[in-house]
Every structure is written in structure tokens, then in C-alpha cells.
Amino acid sequence: MRKLGLETIAVRGGIDTDTQHGAVVPPIYLSSNYTFKGYDQPREYDYARRGNPTRSLLAKALADLEGGAYGIMTSTGLSAITTVIQLLSPQDTLLIPHDCYGGSYRMFDHLSRRGLFKLLVVDQNDAVALTKALDAKPKMVWLETPSNPLLRLVDVKSIAAQAKAIGALVVVDNTFLTPILQQPLSLGADIVVHSCTKYINGHSDVVAGAIITKDQQLGIDLDWWANCIGVTGSAFDSYMALRGLRTLPVRLQQHQKSAAQIAQFLNQHAAVKAVYYPGLISHPQHELAKEQQQGFGAMLSFDLIGDIEQAKALVENVSLFCLAESLGGVESLVAHPATMTHAGMEEAARLHAGIGNSLIRLSVGLESVDDLIDDLSRSLDVVLASV
Ligand SMILES: *Cc1c(COP(=O)(O)O)cnc(C)c1O
């Protein structure tokens, strides 16, 4: 039989599964506990930290979309990541990219300092450094592609093969692209994690996370850990994210269509020094993006001419881009990494990482792209006048 399309899986998640009343849309089960059928006769669900029917529907839909065997919903993206690293013991090494999500980095750094595992941080595009790091036989190799905020890619298939050769588990944070645009399990990863807070829910009104495993038993083990450490997701958030998920494929198509137009517009503007978007032919990994992704996504960043004053002028003059952290909602957002997401970094380290004072990040929403470009155009004129 032909495999169902991703649009079909996304729309149909949990639809028409209510055996009691035939509800088309599945109900939210808010109950914290469930009766036993009788003495020593547990049902499928007993206590909502361990399991919840609404949560299961979302987890199943996400596992189907990623092509995995098992899905787990957690309270946040970071708690999904916290659950995955329970697989590590003090003698194990975790290998992470130097430019992974700041919250992930902070957690890995602080937990490794307390001796929970050993941490190796490398630029995974530096072949020599990567080989050297793999020689240390890490138990787990963490990937995140494209990266935030510079949209750098890593070759998942190649790194997963090298990691496999030394018996490491490969984890990919797939938040930026979602299974609609990138399926890491098919590229050799064992585990995918998501911040469902972003595109999967897509409406900026839920914080949630997910773990999807290729292997059933690994999924069962991680599900056990999620219950053990108490980080499973709420029924209401699962309901909301499942609702958002239904439109994920069509949202992403429009998101990335507008992002491509905005990238082209910025690329020819006199106030813009450089644009970072994998869909541009000038992006150094454009070919890799075409190979391992099914689209270029809707996150992009750019450097303005000038310095911090110009960045300030831009974010203060746009009106259709909210100045806010997070990403992936229907509404467009603008962020200034130097004073927001990456403010905690030492300035020298931040500049070394390529995150300059004039770097601007956009999460392109679903407003009319003509309106978004007009808005940017007006603000960039102010930037130009201020140089
Ligand atoms: C936001 C984000 C996270 C953390 O998710 P929360 O839902 O905020 O806990 C992890 N990874 C990436 C790439 C993110 O963008």
C-alpha cells in the first residue's frame, strides 16, 4: 500500500477515534487518574503523569510524521532534551555542536559540571575537530540543523554514519524544520527531539516538547524516564498542539514561500550586509540543504551595515514584526540575538561565533508577504539614513 502523505497524517491525527460518542475531534481527557476495572485489573491509563489519552494521540501523530516507532510528549522542548540525556551515566561523553540552542547548551554545561556526564563541544563542520571528538568514543552525538541564529547546516547522514561506526546514539533537534521539511530518522538518527512550542503548535500559545525514536524499545525506555522524572506534557497543551499540527504542512509551505521572498528582498538591499538563509544560492550549504531537507524553512537572519544603533533602529521601526523571542508562530517576529537570545554570552565569544551587534533574526509569519516587505523596506530606509 502507498504510504500516506504527511498532510494526511497531520490532519487525521486522532480524528474519529472516539469509540464512545463518535466525536470527530478527539476530546481532552483532563482527569488526573483513572479507575481500575476491578481488583488487580488496571486499564491502559492509571495516572496522568504516566499516561494520558490526549497526549498519546499527539505522540502517535508525531511519531508517524517522523517515521519513528515511538513518540513521547513532554512539558517543554527542554524537558524532552532532559529526558533524552537520562540515557547518560557519569562515565559517558555527550558530543554537542558549538552553536546549539542556548537553553540546551546551558543545561548540558551545568549538568556535566556536576558530573552527570562528560561534555565535548565542537564545530561539527570542522572535519578534523569532529574526528578527534569521535575518537573519544562519545555515547551520544547531538545534532541541530539548521542552527540558530545563523542557519548553518550539518550533514546528518554523514555524521550519523560516523557516530554509528563507534556505536554512539544520534539525536537530532528538529525544531527548526519539523518532520514536514526534514526527517532525521531516515538520515540515520536514532532519536528526534522537538520544541513543539515552535512550528508544531504554531500559534505561540503552548509550551511543549516531544521525543520520537526509531526503535520501539528505546521509546519505551525514554517514556519510563519521562514519567520517572515527571516531565510529561499536559492534556490541554497536547490538545492544542494536535490542533495546530493539523495545519503544519500548509502553514510551512506559506511560511517558507514568504521567507524566500523576504530573503531575496533583503539580499539586494543597500542597508543589508549579508543574509543567512539556506534557500539562497549564496548560502555555503545550499546544496546540502537541497539534499537533506524538503524545503528551506522560514527562519532567516541578516547583518545590517553599521552596528548596534542600526539594529536598534530596525527593530524599533518595524510594526508587523513583534520584538520577541521564540519562533514558528503564525505572526512574524524579529529578534536581536546580541541583546536577546545570546545576551548571556561573553561578547568576544559571541562575536567569534559570528553573532555580531548588527545581526537580526526573523521568524517569517503568515501575514501578506507584500505587507511584510513594505514594513521591512520602511525600516531599512531609516537604518540607511542613520549610518
Ligand atoms: C525553543 C527551542 C528549544 C527549547 O524548547 P522549549 O519549548 O522552549 O523548552 C530547544 N531547541 C530549539 C532548537 C529551540 O528553538
Side-chain angles (χ1 to χ4, degrees):
M1 209 176 84
R2 202 175 63 81
K3 277 206 313 204
L4 291 177
L6 296 180
E7 296 83 354
T8 308
I9 298 170
V11 168
R12 303 292 306 188
I15 291 286
D16 195 13
T17 52
D18 171 33
T19 50
Q20 190 169 12
H21 299 296
V24 171
V25 173
I28 315 178
Y29 284 91
L30 292 172
S31 186
S32 58
N33 48 359
Y34 297 81
T35 60
F36 279 56
K37 268 183 283 188
Y39 174 77
D40 201 21
Q41 285 181 278
R43 299 180 200 264
E44 183 176 357
Y45 299 100
D46 55 8
Y47 185 60
R49 170 163 31 77
R50 195 170 76 82
N52 170 275
T54 317
R55 204 159 73 212
S56 296
L57 294 176
L58 176 59
K60 166 88 171 60
L62 285 174
D64 288 348
L65 286 172
E66 289 281 7
Y70 204 98
I72 302 152
M73 291 308 303
T74 58
S75 56
T76 67
L78 262 184
S79 66
I81 296 168
T82 305
T83 304
V84 171
I85 62 170
Q86 303 307 314
L87 298 172
L88 299 171
S89 300
Q91 73 278 8
D92 295 331
T93 296
L94 170 65
L95 171 60
I96 64 163
H98 68 306
D99 54 0
C100 70
Y101 175 72
S104 309
Y105 185 89
R106 180 176 56 195
M107 196 234 304
F108 296 148
D109 181 35
H110 283 263
L111 294 186
S112 65
R113 281 173 201 234
R114 284 174 42 205
L116 271 72
F117 50 84
K118 294 178 204 148
L119 189 63
L120 265 179
V121 186
V122 295
D123 176 350
Q124 295 173 338
N125 277 317
D126 179 338
V128 176
L130 179 64
T131 304
K132 195 164 155 237
L134 291 171
D135 282 346
K137 298 264 185 299
K139 165 104 182 271
M140 186 180 283
V141 176
W142 200 274
L143 309 181
E144 188 181 317
T145 177
S147 73
N148 175 34
L150 289 168
L151 286 302
R152 292 177 179 136
L153 274 59
V154 291
D155 187 331
V156 177
K157 207 185 240 174
S158 159
I159 298 178
Q162 294 173 68
K164 277 296 141 59
I166 56 158
L169 275 172
V170 177
V171 188
V172 176
D173 184 332
N174 201 24
T175 299
F176 264 42
L177 291 175
T178 84
I180 308 306
L181 300 182
Q182 177 168 268
Q183 302 189 328
L185 300 182
S186 73
L187 298 170
D190 301 290
I191 302 173
V192 166
V193 296
H194 281 286
S195 168
C196 301
T197 313
K198 317 293 169 52
Y199 288 104
I200 287 175
N201 177 61
H203 294 73
S204 305
D205 49 11
V206 162
V207 178
I211 306 164
I212 298 100
T213 61
K214 188 140 113 187
D215 175 72
Q216 173 90 6
Q217 187 56 48
L218 184 58
I220 292 169
D221 294 348
L222 286 169
D223 204 358
W224 184 90
W225 271 115
N227 178 53
C228 173
I229 61 175
V231 297
T232 51
S234 87
F236 187 74
D237 291 349
S238 300
Y239 175 84
M240 294 287 277
L242 186 60
R243 190 176 195 268
L245 183 70
R246 303 193 192 292
T247 55
L248 177 65
V250 286
R251 276 189 282 116
L252 273 173
Q253 291 314 326
Q254 185 57 48
H255 273 298
Q256 65 175 357
K257 193 169 159 218
S258 298
Q261 276 178 260
I262 289 174
Q264 295 290 356
F265 163 76
L266 293 169
N267 209 26
Q268 50 73 49
H269 200 285
V272 175
K273 203 156 59 186
V275 181
Y276 311 100
Y277 181 63
L280 291 175
I281 300 167
S282 56
H283 188 283
Q285 293 158 307
H286 179 64
E287 288 306 316
L288 175 60
K290 283 204 289 196
E291 222 169 277
Q292 78 179 6
Q293 303 177 188
Q294 283 79 55
F296 302 116
M299 293 302 298
L300 62 92
S301 59
F302 57 101
D303 265 311
L304 292 165
I305 55 168
D307 207 304
I308 201 109
E309 281 308 310
Q310 283 65 41
K312 182 163 177 270
L314 184 104
V315 302
E316 284 184 342
N317 280 281
V318 284
S319 59
L320 292 176
F321 292 81
C322 306
L323 180 61
E325 295 188 0
S326 197
L327 59 111
V330 295
E331 74 293 342
S332 291
L333 303 176
V334 63
H336 180 232
T339 53
M340 296 167 70
T341 48
H342 293 69
M345 252 172 121
E346 295 249 1
E347 190 180 19
R350 176 167 60 74
L351 296 177
H352 181 70
I355 302 163
N357 291 337
S358 71
L359 186 75
I360 301 288
R361 187 189 80 175
L362 300 181
S363 172
V364 177
L366 299 181
E367 302 88 346
S368 150
V369 70
D370 296 330
D371 293 341
L372 295 177
I373 289 176
D374 277 352
D375 193 32
L376 287 167
S377 179
R378 271 191 297 271
S379 312
L380 289 168
D381 287 345
V382 179
V383 169
L384 261 188
S386 75
V387 180

Short mmCIF file of all heavy atoms in Angstrom, two decimals, residues 254 256-266 369-370 373:
data_model
loop_
_atom_site.label_atom_id
_atom_site.label_comp_id
_atom_site.label_asym_id
_atom_site.label_seq_id
_atom_site.Cartn_x
_atom_site.Cartn_y
_atom_site.Cartn_z
N GLN A 254 3.49 28.06 3.19
CA GLN A 254 3.36 29.52 3.05
C GLN A 254 4.47 30.27 3.79
O GLN A 254 5.03 31.23 3.26
CB GLN A 254 1.98 29.98 3.54
CG GLN A 254 1.72 31.45 3.31
CD GLN A 254 1.86 31.85 1.84
OE1 GLN A 254 1.31 31.19 0.96
NE2 GLN A 254 2.63 32.90 1.56
N GLN A 256 7.52 29.34 4.31
CA GLN A 256 8.80 29.33 3.61
C GLN A 256 8.74 30.04 2.27
O GLN A 256 9.74 30.58 1.82
CB GLN A 256 9.39 27.92 3.50
CG GLN A 256 8.62 26.94 2.68
CD GLN A 256 9.37 25.62 2.54
OE1 GLN A 256 10.49 25.48 3.02
NE2 GLN A 256 8.77 24.66 1.86
N LYS A 257 7.57 30.09 1.67
CA LYS A 257 7.43 30.85 0.42
C LYS A 257 7.69 32.34 0.71
O LYS A 257 8.44 33.01 -0.01
CB LYS A 257 6.00 30.64 -0.12
CG LYS A 257 5.80 31.09 -1.53
CD LYS A 257 4.46 30.59 -2.07
CE LYS A 257 4.02 31.44 -3.24
NZ LYS A 257 2.58 31.69 -3.26
N SER A 258 7.08 32.84 1.79
CA SER A 258 7.29 34.24 2.15
C SER A 258 8.73 34.49 2.59
O SER A 258 9.31 35.53 2.24
CB SER A 258 6.34 34.63 3.30
OG SER A 258 5.00 34.51 2.88
N ALA A 259 9.30 33.53 3.33
CA ALA A 259 10.69 33.70 3.80
C ALA A 259 11.64 33.82 2.61
O ALA A 259 12.56 34.64 2.62
CB ALA A 259 11.09 32.53 4.69
N ALA A 260 11.40 33.01 1.57
CA ALA A 260 12.27 33.06 0.39
C ALA A 260 12.18 34.43 -0.28
O ALA A 260 13.20 35.01 -0.67
CB ALA A 260 11.87 31.95 -0.59
N GLN A 261 10.97 34.97 -0.36
CA GLN A 261 10.80 36.30 -0.98
C GLN A 261 11.48 37.38 -0.16
O GLN A 261 12.10 38.29 -0.71
CB GLN A 261 9.31 36.62 -1.13
CG GLN A 261 8.71 36.03 -2.39
CD GLN A 261 7.22 36.34 -2.48
OE1 GLN A 261 6.40 35.50 -2.16
NE2 GLN A 261 6.88 37.55 -2.89
N ILE A 262 11.35 37.26 1.16
CA ILE A 262 11.98 38.26 2.04
C ILE A 262 13.50 38.16 1.96
O ILE A 262 14.21 39.17 1.93
CB ILE A 262 11.44 38.11 3.48
CG1 ILE A 262 9.98 38.59 3.51
CG2 ILE A 262 12.30 38.86 4.49
CD1 ILE A 262 9.27 38.38 4.83
N ALA A 263 14.01 36.93 1.89
CA ALA A 263 15.47 36.75 1.78
C ALA A 263 15.99 37.41 0.50
O ALA A 263 17.02 38.09 0.52
CB ALA A 263 15.81 35.25 1.80
N GLN A 264 15.26 37.23 -0.60
CA GLN A 264 15.66 37.86 -1.87
C GLN A 264 15.63 39.37 -1.76
O GLN A 264 16.55 40.06 -2.20
CB GLN A 264 14.72 37.44 -3.01
CG GLN A 264 14.76 35.96 -3.37
CD GLN A 264 16.05 35.53 -4.06
OE1 GLN A 264 16.91 36.37 -4.34
NE2 GLN A 264 16.22 34.24 -4.30
N PHE A 265 14.57 39.88 -1.12
CA PHE A 265 14.44 41.32 -0.96
C PHE A 265 15.60 41.90 -0.13
O PHE A 265 16.24 42.88 -0.52
CB PHE A 265 13.09 41.66 -0.28
CG PHE A 265 13.04 43.04 0.28
CD1 PHE A 265 12.87 44.15 -0.55
CD2 PHE A 265 13.21 43.25 1.65
CE1 PHE A 265 12.85 45.43 -0.02
CE2 PHE A 265 13.19 44.54 2.18
CZ PHE A 265 13.02 45.63 1.34
N LEU A 266 15.90 41.22 0.99
CA LEU A 266 16.97 41.72 1.87
C LEU A 266 18.33 41.64 1.17
O LEU A 266 19.18 42.52 1.33
CB LEU A 266 17.03 40.89 3.16
CG LEU A 266 15.83 41.03 4.11
CD1 LEU A 266 15.91 39.96 5.20
CD2 LEU A 266 15.79 42.42 4.74
N VAL A 369 2.90 38.75 2.41
CA VAL A 369 4.33 38.99 2.27
C VAL A 369 4.62 40.40 1.74
O VAL A 369 5.64 41.01 2.07
CB VAL A 369 5.00 37.89 1.40
CG1 VAL A 369 4.58 37.99 -0.05
CG2 VAL A 369 6.52 37.96 1.53
N ASP A 370 3.69 40.94 0.97
CA ASP A 370 3.87 42.32 0.47
C ASP A 370 3.88 43.31 1.64
O ASP A 370 4.67 44.26 1.66
CB ASP A 370 2.76 42.69 -0.52
CG ASP A 370 2.82 41.81 -1.76
OD1 ASP A 370 3.93 41.36 -2.13
OD2 ASP A 370 1.75 41.54 -2.36
N ILE A 373 7.22 42.94 3.47
CA ILE A 373 8.34 43.56 2.75
C ILE A 373 8.24 45.10 2.82
O ILE A 373 9.24 45.78 3.04
CB ILE A 373 8.40 43.04 1.29
CG1 ILE A 373 8.88 41.57 1.31
CG2 ILE A 373 9.32 43.90 0.42
CD1 ILE A 373 8.91 40.87 -0.03
#
